[in-house]
Amino acid sequence: INLEPVAGDLVVTGGEDSDQAYITGRTFAFDPRVERWHELPSSPRPKHGYASAAFEDRLWVFGGARCAGSTPTDSIESLRVD
């Protein structure tokens, strides 16, 4: 799971379960101004073990693997956070 500040929200996305059997692309944002979580669109390509960075109103996700023990991808994806 990666946690990044984006457009004033804290964004949590991706990850896996403790058995490394299930990879998720679900994404959530916490708005500290109103102290509430809301769900954002899921990643179209769930993965884990990636790096992420926030820039302006986007979360950028670099690399990662689609399943446990697999070769990392060389993809870059971005998610707009409004």
Side-chain angles (χ1 to χ4, degrees):
I1 296 175
N2 282 25
L3 175 65
E4 291 287 342
V6 183
D9 290 351
L10 293 175
V11 177
V12 179
T13 186
E16 62 188 298
D17 67 355
S18 61
D19 295 326
Q20 296 183 338
Y22 177 77
I23 308 297
T24 183
R26 292 183 74 188
T27 303
F28 299 88
F30 178 75
D31 184 340
R33 297 167 296 259
V34 295
E35 298 184 358
R36 294 189 72 162
W37 287 95
H38 59 278
E39 190 163 6
L40 298 172
S42 292
S43 169
R45 289 172 290 284
K47 52 190 174 176
H48 72 115
Y50 55 84
S52 65
F55 181 71
E56 294 182 352
D57 61 351
R58 289 193 170 273
L59 176 68
W60 295 86
V61 177
F62 307 91
R66 299 287 313 262
C67 59
S70 69
T71 303
T73 66
D74 60 359
S75 67
I76 299 173
E77 300 174 19
S78 73
L79 170 68
R80 185 178 183 97
V81 179
D82 292 318

